[in-house]
Amino acid sequence: HVQLVESGGDSVQAGGSLRLSCEVSGFLMRGACMAWFRQAPGKEREAVAVISRADVTLYAEAVQGRFIISQDDAVNTMYLQMNNLKPDDTAMYYCAADWVRGALFDRQGYNYWGKCTQVTVS
């Protein structure tokens, strides 16, 4: 049984930082694609950051230089360090996992999802 559980969401002021965590169970992170997506009210769910199967990190242009994705296989946890947060970063943040062979930023490629954590930036 695969389970992904996000935590770390909060309400912060613009310019602040947050660190999201995604605890993974029942799924081997090593060698898989791990990703963070977000969904703002009234908008489509979009990819924010991805760790590819080759351990290459990729970022959406909107967060490039501000967010850092990482994972610790020893504790089966993925992270998203978010710095210099902006009001446009307000969204529900989801972690996702799968052995994606297509477009890494396409949500259709991920079958395993967490239930999200809320980030609000004012």
Side-chain angles (χ1 to χ4, degrees):
H1 176 65
V2 178
Q3 192 170 17
L4 285 69
V5 180
E6 303 94 336
S7 62
D10 205 344
S11 296
V12 297
Q13 292 189 336
S17 297
L18 283 174
R19 188 193 198 202
L20 305 184
S21 298
C22 174
E23 294 185 35
V24 181
S25 59
F27 182 89
L28 185 62
M29 293 173 54
R30 189 188 302 274
C33 288
M34 303 297 299
W36 286 98
F37 285 74
R38 68 185 181 187
Q39 187 166 15
K43 295 188 176 181
E44 295 290 319
R45 192 174 302 184
E46 62 178 4
V48 173
V50 172
I51 301 176
S52 75
R53 297 176 67 188
D55 286 337
V56 175
T57 56
L58 303 165
Y59 298 93
E61 184 176 351
V63 307
Q64 181 76 48
R66 299 189 297 121
F67 289 13
I68 301 171
I69 187 172
S70 62
Q71 67 183 65
D72 186 338
D73 294 340
V75 294
N76 295 328
T77 302
M78 177 176 63
Y79 304 98
L80 185 67
Q81 177 67 43
M82 305 187 295
N83 301 318
N84 190 22
L85 283 161
K86 304 176 181 181
D88 283 349
D89 295 320
T90 295
M92 296 181 294
Y93 283 72
Y94 296 83
C95 61
D98 213 323
W99 295 279
V100 179
R101 296 185 181 276
L104 299 183
F105 278 48
D106 184 353
R107 60 179 290 190
Q108 299 300 322
Y110 297 84
N111 286 302
Y112 304 109
W113 292 85
K115 294 186 177 181
C116 81
T117 185
Q118 177 70 44
V119 172
T120 303
V121 185
S122 60

